[in-house]
Amino acid sequence: MLKQLYIKNFTLIDTLDIPFNPGFSVITGETGAGKSIILGAINLLLGQRADVKSIKSNNSKCVIEAHFDISRYNMQDFFTSNNIDYDANDCILRRELNSSGKTRAFINDTPVPLNLMRMLGQQLIDIHSQHQNLLLNEEDFQLNVVDIIAKDKSVLLKYKEHFNAYKNAKKAVDKLCKEIEENKKNEDYIRFQLKELTEAELKDGMQEELEHESEKLSHVEEIKTALYSAGTSLSSYESESNIIDKVKEASRSIDSITDIYPEIKSISERLESCFIELKDISDEINSEADNIEFDPSRLEQINSQLDKIYSLEQKYHVTTISDLLNIQDNLEKQISHIDNSDEELAQLKSEEERLLKECENIADELTAVRKEAAKVVEKEMRDRLIPLGIPNVRFSISIENKNICEDGHDRVSFLFSANTSIPMQPVAQVASGGEIARVMLSLKAMISGAVKLPTIIFDEIDTGVSGKIAEKMGDIMQEMGKANRQVISITHLPQIAAKGTTHYKVFKEETENGTTSRMQILDKKERIKEIAQMLSGSEISNAAINNAKELLKTL
């Protein structure tokens, strides 16, 4: 329920801070006084697009803030899931607009994205303006009305879960069909690529090994020369500088004095160790020199393999064998996919058909529930419309089958006739403006009994009606305002204005800073005067005063 509305520097409003009460309230005022401005400010709290032109002249910022009591509506989950402080007795929505065009939204002083404010706002306030009568043209709106009365939320949720599963299965089938078609176009080329890579017999590390062996075979003479030179230096008997013999000789010399000069023993041991190590190195060098041979055929084979690897890497725009092996693996999968696609497609189609059948079964459940609800809506709408001056009304709901979609397979249409001689047709096509207003009010009244919506605002829903019919419409809105609901009607009709528990007047006032829109709560005397003026115009007659008192039942 809306408790307080604060508006600062918005269009013609400099400052407005006004409380709102539960029950049925009315807002009146001359055309152009600023009623639509107040409604526009509330719409900004519901996430409507902001325009810097809305900022009052000579100001850099406007603020709209509303306080709500949401203690009866179990909304804590919304605040918890969005990490916003929760205060059931004082929920605050605030919107700020700067002259730079920047806009900010807040819920309980927490900055939030505008779409989050919109989500919450739509749960707090339902604004019904004249353009919303166009909803009677929309199938979704009519279906939603039936679903609200049917209270089929659990069935609809179950259906949507199955429908989403069916939709995903259908997407998988469509995707596989496209892949099969595309793969079959490229099958020959894919098989050629796979054969080319498979025949290369690629292995991880293969390129590095081949490059190393190629390098070695290309420098055999250089390697043999270096090994021979080293071997000769270490152990050749023909060399005067034979290192091993000299180390051995040094070792013997030192060893001969260890008994008389024990301090030298560690050096003797190290020399012995050096001799053994050098002897071992010499043997290995000689062995390497004996084993390495120039093999031109092997070098040719290696270089041929490397050329093939380099060519494949260049062709597939990669730099390693590992990358080529990944490509080979993907090609193998594609070929496997092609070879097994018919079986895979059959399985996916079978799953799609199974899910479609489940959806159809649950959709049939929805249809049955909706048809029962449609009977309730038909009766209640007739009961509501007859007192509203349509004594011969016929109202029926047509539910026809359509292709399965997100809300089932029902096409809903509201059929209407105000006269016995005219056959029923879709309501938006045959109802007059006044009749549509009464139909929409009746629908809203019926829905409000089934949905917990804190605040409903009617913006001149009474257009096209007057007299007793207006009074009956006022009675309906007054009844809607009971049972912990809040209904606010912006109206030009005195019959409706007199039904309000609280009466607000919007008016313009000339100040030193220009024209300003004001809003105030009227007391009993002020209400009589306002309603009398609505009855007679600017010149208030005694008859109008008496008529106003009669409407207000204050005599």
Coordinates of all heavy atoms in Angstrom, one line a residue, residues 450-524:
A450 N -8.7 -11.9 -6.8 CA -7.9 -13.1 -6.9 C -6.4 -12.9 -6.7 O -5.7 -13.8 -6.4 CB -8.2 -13.8 -8.2
V451 N -6.0 -11.7 -6.9 CA -4.5 -11.3 -6.9 C -4.3 -10.3 -5.8 O -5.0 -9.3 -5.7 CB -4.0 -10.8 -8.2 CG1 -2.6 -10.4 -8.1 CG2 -4.3 -11.8 -9.3
K452 N -3.3 -10.6 -5.0 CA -2.9 -9.6 -3.9 C -2.1 -8.5 -4.5 O -0.8 -8.6 -4.6 CB -2.1 -10.3 -2.8 CG -3.0 -11.2 -2.0 CD -2.1 -11.8 -0.9 CE -3.0 -12.7 0.0 NZ -2.2 -13.3 1.1
L453 N -2.7 -7.4 -4.9 CA -2.0 -6.3 -5.5 C -2.2 -5.1 -4.6 O -3.3 -4.7 -4.4 CB -2.5 -5.9 -6.9 CG -1.7 -4.9 -7.7 CD1 -0.3 -5.5 -8.0 CD2 -2.4 -4.6 -9.0
P454 N -1.2 -4.6 -3.9 CA -1.3 -3.5 -2.9 C -2.1 -2.3 -3.3 O -3.0 -1.8 -2.6 CB 0.1 -3.2 -2.5 CG 0.9 -4.4 -2.8 CD 0.2 -5.0 -4.0
T455 N -1.8 -1.7 -4.5 CA -2.4 -0.5 -4.9 C -2.8 -0.5 -6.4 O -2.0 -1.0 -7.3 CB -1.4 0.7 -4.8 OG1 -1.0 0.8 -3.4 CG2 -2.0 2.0 -5.2
I456 N -4.1 -0.1 -6.7 CA -4.6 0.0 -8.0 C -4.9 1.5 -8.3 O -5.7 2.1 -7.5 CB -5.8 -0.9 -8.2 CG1 -5.5 -2.3 -8.0 CG2 -6.3 -0.7 -9.7 CD1 -6.7 -3.2 -8.0
I457 N -4.4 2.0 -9.4 CA -4.8 3.4 -9.7 C -5.5 3.4 -11.0 O -5.1 2.9 -12.0 CB -3.5 4.3 -9.9 CG1 -2.7 4.3 -8.5 CG2 -3.8 5.7 -10.3 CD1 -1.4 5.1 -8.6
F458 N -6.7 4.0 -11.0 CA -7.5 4.1 -12.2 C -7.4 5.6 -12.7 O -7.8 6.5 -12.0 CB -9.0 3.8 -12.0 CG -9.3 2.4 -11.7 CD1 -9.6 2.0 -10.4 CD2 -9.2 1.4 -12.7 CE1 -9.9 0.6 -10.1 CE2 -9.4 0.1 -12.4 CZ -9.8 -0.3 -11.2
D459 N -6.9 5.7 -13.9 CA -6.7 7.0 -14.5 C -7.9 7.3 -15.5 O -7.8 6.8 -16.7 CB -5.4 7.1 -15.3 CG -5.1 8.5 -15.9 OD1 -5.8 9.4 -15.5 OD2 -4.3 8.5 -16.8
E460 N -8.9 8.0 -15.0 CA -10.1 8.3 -15.9 C -10.6 7.1 -16.6 O -10.9 7.2 -17.8 CB -9.7 9.5 -16.8 CG -9.2 10.7 -16.1 CD -8.9 11.9 -17.0 OE1 -9.0 11.7 -18.3 OE2 -8.5 12.9 -16.5
I461 N -10.8 6.0 -15.9 CA -11.4 4.9 -16.5 C -12.9 5.1 -16.7 O -13.5 4.4 -17.5 CB -11.2 3.6 -15.5 CG1 -11.6 2.3 -16.3 CG2 -12.1 3.8 -14.3 CD1 -11.3 1.1 -15.5
D462 N -13.5 6.2 -16.1 CA -14.9 6.5 -16.3 C -15.2 7.2 -17.5 O -16.4 7.7 -17.7 CB -15.3 7.3 -15.0 CG -14.4 8.4 -14.7 OD1 -13.8 9.0 -15.6 OD2 -14.1 8.6 -13.5
T463 N -14.3 7.4 -18.4 CA -14.5 8.2 -19.6 C -15.6 7.5 -20.4 O -15.7 6.3 -20.6 CB -13.3 8.2 -20.5 OG1 -12.2 8.9 -19.8 CG2 -13.5 9.0 -21.8
G464 N -16.6 8.3 -20.9 CA -17.7 7.8 -21.7 C -18.9 7.4 -20.9 O -19.9 6.9 -21.5
V465 N -18.9 7.5 -19.6 CA -20.1 7.2 -18.7 C -20.4 8.4 -17.9 O -19.7 9.3 -17.7 CB -19.8 6.0 -17.8 CG1 -19.5 4.7 -18.7 CG2 -18.6 6.3 -16.9
S466 N -21.7 8.3 -17.3 CA -22.1 9.4 -16.5 C -23.3 8.9 -15.6 O -23.8 7.8 -15.8 CB -22.5 10.6 -17.3 OG -23.5 10.3 -18.2
G467 N -23.8 9.8 -14.8 CA -25.0 9.5 -14.0 C -25.0 8.3 -13.2 O -24.0 8.1 -12.5
K468 N -26.0 7.5 -13.3 CA -26.2 6.3 -12.4 C -25.1 5.3 -12.7 O -24.6 4.6 -11.8 CB -27.5 5.7 -12.7 CG -28.7 6.4 -12.0 CD -28.6 6.2 -10.5 CE -29.8 6.9 -9.8 NZ -29.7 6.8 -8.3
I469 N -24.7 5.2 -14.0 CA -23.6 4.2 -14.3 C -22.3 4.6 -13.6 O -21.6 3.8 -13.1 CB -23.4 4.2 -15.8 CG1 -24.7 3.8 -16.5 CG2 -22.3 3.1 -16.2 CD1 -25.4 2.6 -16.0
A470 N -22.0 5.9 -13.6 CA -20.8 6.4 -12.9 C -20.9 6.1 -11.4 O -19.9 5.7 -10.8 CB -20.6 7.9 -13.1
E471 N -22.1 6.2 -10.9 CA -22.3 5.9 -9.5 C -22.0 4.4 -9.2 O -21.4 4.1 -8.2 CB -23.7 6.3 -9.0 CG -23.9 6.2 -7.5 CD -25.3 6.6 -7.1 OE1 -26.0 7.2 -7.9 OE2 -25.7 6.4 -5.9
K472 N -22.5 3.6 -10.1 CA -22.3 2.1 -9.9 C -20.8 1.8 -10.1 O -20.3 1.0 -9.3 CB -23.1 1.4 -11.0 CG -24.6 1.4 -10.8 CD -25.0 0.6 -9.6 CE -26.5 0.5 -9.5 NZ -26.9 -0.2 -8.2
M473 N -20.1 2.5 -11.0 CA -18.7 2.3 -11.1 C -17.9 2.7 -9.9 O -17.0 2.0 -9.4 CB -18.1 3.0 -12.3 CG -18.6 2.5 -13.7 SD -18.0 3.4 -15.1 CE -16.3 2.9 -15.2
G474 N -18.4 3.8 -9.3 CA -17.8 4.2 -8.0 C -18.0 3.2 -6.9 O -17.1 3.0 -6.1
D475 N -19.2 2.6 -6.9 CA -19.5 1.5 -5.9 C -18.5 0.4 -6.1 O -18.0 -0.2 -5.1 CB -20.9 1.0 -6.1 CG -22.0 2.1 -5.6 OD1 -21.6 2.9 -4.8 OD2 -23.1 2.0 -6.1
I476 N -18.2 0.0 -7.3 CA -17.3 -1.1 -7.6 C -15.9 -0.8 -7.1 O -15.3 -1.6 -6.4 CB -17.3 -1.5 -9.1 CG1 -18.6 -2.1 -9.5 CG2 -16.1 -2.4 -9.4 CD1 -18.7 -2.3 -11.0
M477 N -15.5 0.4 -7.4 CA -14.1 0.8 -6.9 C -14.1 1.0 -5.4 O -13.1 0.6 -4.7 CB -13.7 2.2 -7.6 CG -13.3 2.0 -9.0 SD -12.7 3.5 -9.8 CE -14.2 4.2 -10.5
Q478 N -15.2 1.4 -4.8 CA -15.3 1.5 -3.4 C -15.2 0.1 -2.7 O -14.5 -0.1 -1.7 CB -16.6 2.2 -3.0 CG -16.7 2.6 -1.5 CD -18.0 3.3 -1.2 OE1 -19.1 2.7 -1.4 NE2 -17.9 4.5 -0.7
E479 N -15.9 -0.8 -3.4 CA -15.8 -2.2 -2.9 C -14.4 -2.8 -3.0 O -13.9 -3.5 -2.2 CB -16.8 -3.1 -3.7 CG -17.0 -4.5 -3.2 CD -17.5 -4.6 -1.8 OE1 -18.3 -3.7 -1.3 OE2 -17.2 -5.6 -1.1
M480 N -13.8 -2.5 -4.1 CA -12.4 -3.0 -4.4 C -11.4 -2.4 -3.3 O -10.4 -3.1 -3.0 CB -11.9 -2.5 -5.8 CG -12.6 -3.3 -6.9 SD -12.1 -2.5 -8.5 CE -10.3 -3.0 -8.5
G481 N -11.8 -1.2 -2.8 CA -10.9 -0.6 -1.8 C -10.9 -1.3 -0.4 O -10.2 -0.9 0.5
K482 N -11.9 -2.2 -0.3 CA -12.0 -2.9 1.0 C -11.0 -4.1 1.0 O -10.3 -4.3 0.1 CB -13.4 -3.3 1.3 CG -14.4 -2.1 1.4 CD -15.8 -2.6 1.6 CE -16.8 -1.4 1.6 NZ -18.2 -1.9 1.8
A483 N -11.0 -4.8 2.1 CA -10.2 -6.0 2.3 C -8.7 -5.7 2.1 O -8.0 -6.4 1.3 CB -10.7 -7.1 1.3
N484 N -8.3 -4.7 2.8 CA -6.8 -4.4 2.8 C -6.2 -4.0 1.5 O -5.1 -4.2 1.2 CB -6.0 -5.5 3.4 CG -6.4 -5.8 4.9 OD1 -6.6 -4.9 5.7 ND2 -6.7 -7.1 5.2
R485 N -7.1 -3.5 0.6 CA -6.6 -3.0 -0.7 C -6.7 -1.5 -0.8 O -7.5 -0.9 -0.1 CB -7.4 -3.7 -1.9 CG -7.0 -5.1 -2.1 CD -7.6 -5.6 -3.4 NE -9.0 -5.6 -3.4 CZ -9.7 -6.7 -3.1 NH1 -9.1 -7.8 -2.7 NH2 -11.1 -6.7 -3.1
Q486 N -5.9 -1.0 -1.7 CA -5.9 0.5 -1.9 C -6.2 0.8 -3.3 O -5.5 0.3 -4.2 CB -4.5 1.1 -1.5 CG -4.4 2.6 -1.6 CD -3.0 3.1 -1.3 OE1 -2.1 2.6 -1.9 NE2 -2.9 4.0 -0.4
V487 N -7.3 1.6 -3.5 CA -7.7 1.9 -4.9 C -7.8 3.4 -5.0 O -8.3 4.1 -4.1 CB -9.1 1.3 -5.2 CG1 -9.6 1.8 -6.6 CG2 -9.1 -0.2 -5.1
I488 N -7.1 4.0 -6.0 CA -7.1 5.4 -6.2 C -7.7 5.7 -7.6 O -7.2 5.1 -8.6 CB -5.7 6.0 -6.1 CG1 -5.1 5.7 -4.7 CG2 -5.6 7.5 -6.4 CD1 -3.6 5.9 -4.6
S489 N -8.6 6.6 -7.7 CA -9.2 6.9 -9.0 C -9.1 8.4 -9.3 O -9.4 9.2 -8.5 CB -10.7 6.6 -9.0 OG -11.3 6.9 -10.2
I490 N -8.5 8.6 -10.5 CA -8.4 10.0 -11.0 C -9.6 10.2 -11.8 O -9.8 9.5 -12.8 CB -7.1 10.2 -11.8 CG1 -5.9 10.0 -11.0 CG2 -7.1 11.6 -12.5 CD1 -4.6 10.0 -11.7
T491 N -10.5 11.1 -11.5 CA -11.8 11.2 -12.1 C -12.3 12.6 -12.3 O -11.9 13.5 -11.6 CB -12.9 10.4 -11.3 OG1 -14.1 10.5 -11.9 CG2 -13.0 11.1 -9.9
H492 N -13.2 12.8 -13.3 CA -13.9 14.0 -13.6 C -15.3 13.9 -13.2 O -16.1 14.9 -13.4 CB -13.8 14.4 -15.1 CG -12.4 14.9 -15.5 ND1 -11.9 16.1 -15.1 CD2 -11.5 14.3 -16.3 CE1 -10.7 16.2 -15.6 NE2 -10.4 15.2 -16.4
L493 N -15.8 12.8 -12.7 CA -17.2 12.6 -12.4 C -17.5 12.8 -10.9 O -16.9 12.1 -10.1 CB -17.6 11.2 -12.8 CG -17.5 10.9 -14.4 CD1 -17.9 9.5 -14.7 CD2 -18.2 11.9 -15.2
P494 N -18.4 13.6 -10.6 CA -18.8 13.8 -9.2 C -19.4 12.6 -8.5 O -19.1 12.4 -7.3 CB -19.8 15.0 -9.2 CG -20.3 14.9 -10.6 CD -19.2 14.5 -11.5
Q495 N -20.1 11.8 -9.3 CA -20.7 10.6 -8.7 C -19.6 9.6 -8.2 O -19.8 8.9 -7.1 CB -21.5 9.8 -9.7 CG -22.7 10.6 -10.2 CD -22.5 11.5 -11.3 OE1 -21.3 11.8 -11.7 NE2 -23.5 12.0 -12.0
I496 N -18.4 9.5 -8.9 CA -17.3 8.7 -8.4 C -16.5 9.4 -7.3 O -16.2 8.8 -6.3 CB -16.4 8.3 -9.6 CG1 -17.2 7.4 -10.5 CG2 -15.1 7.7 -9.1 CD1 -16.4 6.9 -11.8
A497 N -16.3 10.7 -7.5 CA -15.6 11.5 -6.5 C -16.2 11.4 -5.1 O -15.5 11.4 -4.1 CB -15.4 12.9 -6.9
A498 N -17.5 11.3 -5.1 CA -18.2 11.3 -3.8 C -18.1 10.0 -3.1 O -18.4 9.9 -1.9 CB -19.7 11.6 -4.0
K499 N -17.6 8.9 -3.8 CA -17.5 7.6 -3.2 C -16.2 7.4 -2.4 O -16.0 6.5 -1.6 CB -17.6 6.5 -4.3 CG -18.9 6.5 -5.0 CD -20.0 6.0 -4.2 CE -21.3 5.9 -5.0 NZ -22.4 5.4 -4.2
G500 N -15.3 8.3 -2.6 CA -13.9 8.1 -2.0 C -13.9 8.3 -0.5 O -14.6 9.2 0.0
T501 N -13.1 7.5 0.2 CA -12.9 7.7 1.6 C -12.0 9.0 1.8 O -12.2 9.7 2.8 CB -12.3 6.5 2.2 OG1 -13.0 5.4 1.9 CG2 -12.1 6.6 3.7
T502 N -11.1 9.1 1.0 CA -10.2 10.3 1.0 C -10.3 11.0 -0.4 O -10.3 10.3 -1.4 CB -8.7 9.9 1.2 OG1 -8.7 9.0 2.4 CG2 -7.8 11.1 1.5
H503 N -10.3 12.3 -0.3 CA -10.5 13.1 -1.5 C -9.3 14.1 -1.7 O -9.0 14.9 -0.8 CB -11.8 13.9 -1.5 CG -12.2 14.5 -2.8 ND1 -13.5 14.7 -3.2 CD2 -11.4 15.0 -3.8 CE1 -13.5 15.3 -4.3 NE2 -12.3 15.5 -4.8
Y504 N -8.5 13.9 -2.8 CA -7.4 14.8 -3.1 C -7.8 15.7 -4.2 O -8.5 15.3 -5.2 CB -6.2 14.0 -3.5 CG -5.7 13.0 -2.5 CD1 -6.2 11.7 -2.4 CD2 -4.7 13.4 -1.6 CE1 -5.8 10.8 -1.5 CE2 -4.2 12.5 -0.6 CZ -4.8 11.2 -0.6 OH -4.3 10.3 0.3
K505 N -7.4 17.0 -4.1 CA -7.6 17.9 -5.2 C -6.2 18.4 -5.8 O -5.3 18.8 -5.0 CB -8.4 19.1 -4.8 CG -8.7 20.1 -5.9 CD -9.5 21.3 -5.5 CE -9.8 22.2 -6.6 NZ -10.6 23.4 -6.3
V506 N -6.1 18.4 -7.1 CA -4.9 18.9 -7.7 C -5.3 20.2 -8.4 O -6.3 20.3 -9.1 CB -4.4 17.9 -8.8 CG1 -3.1 18.5 -9.5 CG2 -4.0 16.6 -8.2
F507 N -4.5 21.3 -8.2 CA -4.8 22.6 -8.7 C -3.5 23.3 -9.0 O -2.4 23.0 -8.5 CB -5.6 23.4 -7.7 CG -5.0 23.6 -6.4 CD1 -4.2 24.7 -6.1 CD2 -5.1 22.6 -5.4 CE1 -3.6 24.9 -4.8 CE2 -4.5 22.7 -4.2 CZ -3.7 23.9 -3.9
K508 N -3.6 24.4 -9.8 CA -2.5 25.2 -10.2 C -2.5 26.5 -9.3 O -3.6 27.0 -9.0 CB -2.5 25.6 -11.7 CG -2.1 24.5 -12.6 CD -2.1 25.0 -14.0 CE -1.6 23.9 -15.0 NZ -1.7 24.4 -16.4
E509 N -1.3 27.0 -9.1 CA -1.2 28.2 -8.3 C -0.1 29.0 -8.9 O 1.0 28.5 -9.2 CB -0.8 27.7 -6.8 CG -0.8 28.9 -5.8 CD -0.6 28.3 -4.4 OE1 0.6 28.1 -4.1 OE2 -1.6 28.1 -3.7
E510 N -0.3 30.3 -8.9 CA 0.7 31.2 -9.5 C 1.5 31.7 -8.3 O 1.0 32.2 -7.3 CB 0.0 32.4 -10.2 CG -0.8 32.0 -11.4 CD 0.2 31.5 -12.5 OE1 1.3 31.9 -12.6 OE2 -0.3 30.6 -13.3
T511 N 2.8 31.6 -8.4 CA 3.8 32.1 -7.4 C 4.8 33.0 -8.1 O 4.8 33.2 -9.3 CB 4.5 30.9 -6.8 OG1 5.4 30.3 -7.8 CG2 3.6 29.8 -6.3
E512 N 5.6 33.6 -7.3 CA 6.6 34.5 -7.8 C 7.6 33.8 -8.7 O 8.3 34.4 -9.6 CB 7.4 35.2 -6.7 CG 8.1 34.2 -5.8 CD 8.8 35.0 -4.6 OE1 8.4 36.1 -4.3 OE2 9.7 34.3 -4.0
N513 N 7.7 32.4 -8.6 CA 8.5 31.6 -9.5 C 7.8 31.0 -10.6 O 8.4 30.2 -11.4 CB 9.2 30.5 -8.6 CG 10.1 31.1 -7.6 OD1 10.8 32.0 -7.8 ND2 10.1 30.5 -6.4
G514 N 6.5 31.4 -10.8 CA 5.8 30.9 -12.0 C 4.7 30.0 -11.5 O 4.3 29.9 -10.3
T515 N 4.1 29.3 -12.5 CA 3.0 28.4 -12.2 C 3.4 27.1 -11.6 O 4.4 26.5 -12.0 CB 2.2 28.0 -13.5 OG1 1.8 29.2 -14.2 CG2 1.0 27.2 -13.3
T516 N 2.7 26.7 -10.5 CA 3.1 25.5 -9.8 C 1.8 24.6 -9.5 O 0.8 25.2 -9.3 CB 3.7 25.8 -8.4 OG1 4.9 26.6 -8.6 CG2 4.0 24.6 -7.6
S517 N 2.0 23.3 -9.7 CA 0.9 22.4 -9.4 C 1.0 22.0 -7.9 O 2.0 21.8 -7.4 CB 1.0 21.2 -10.3 OG 0.6 21.4 -11.6
R518 N -0.2 22.0 -7.3 CA -0.3 21.6 -5.9 C -1.3 20.5 -5.7 O -2.1 20.2 -6.6 CB -0.8 22.8 -5.0 CG 0.0 24.1 -5.2 CD 1.3 24.0 -4.4 NE 2.0 25.3 -4.3 CZ 3.2 25.4 -4.1 NH1 4.0 24.3 -4.0 NH2 3.8 26.6 -4.0
M519 N -1.3 19.8 -4.6 CA -2.2 18.7 -4.3 C -2.5 18.8 -2.8 O -1.6 18.9 -2.0 CB -1.6 17.4 -4.7 CG -2.5 16.2 -4.5 SD -1.7 14.7 -5.1 CE -3.0 13.5 -4.7
Q520 N -3.8 18.7 -2.4 CA -4.1 18.7 -1.0 C -5.3 17.8 -0.7 O -6.0 17.4 -1.6 CB -4.5 20.1 -0.6 CG -5.9 20.6 -1.2 CD -6.3 22.0 -0.7 OE1 -5.5 22.9 -0.8 NE2 -7.5 22.1 -0.2
I521 N -5.3 17.3 0.5 CA -6.5 16.5 1.0 C -7.6 17.5 1.4 O -7.4 18.4 2.2 CB -6.0 15.6 2.2 CG1 -4.9 14.7 1.8 CG2 -7.2 14.8 2.7 CD1 -4.3 13.9 2.9
L522 N -8.8 17.2 0.9 CA -10.0 18.0 1.2 C -10.7 17.6 2.5 O -10.9 16.4 2.7 CB -10.9 18.0 0.0 CG -10.4 18.5 -1.3 CD1 -11.5 18.4 -2.4 CD2 -9.8 19.8 -1.3
D523 N -11.1 18.6 3.3 CA -11.9 18.2 4.4 C -13.4 18.1 3.9 O -13.7 18.3 2.7 CB -11.7 19.2 5.5 CG -12.1 20.6 5.1 OD1 -12.9 20.8 4.2 OD2 -11.6 21.6 5.8
K524 N -14.3 18.0 4.8 CA -15.7 17.8 4.4 C -16.3 19.0 3.7 O -16.9 18.8 2.6 CB -16.6 17.5 5.7 CG -16.3 16.1 6.3 CD -17.3 15.8 7.4 CE -17.0 14.4 8.0 NZ -17.9 14.2 9.2

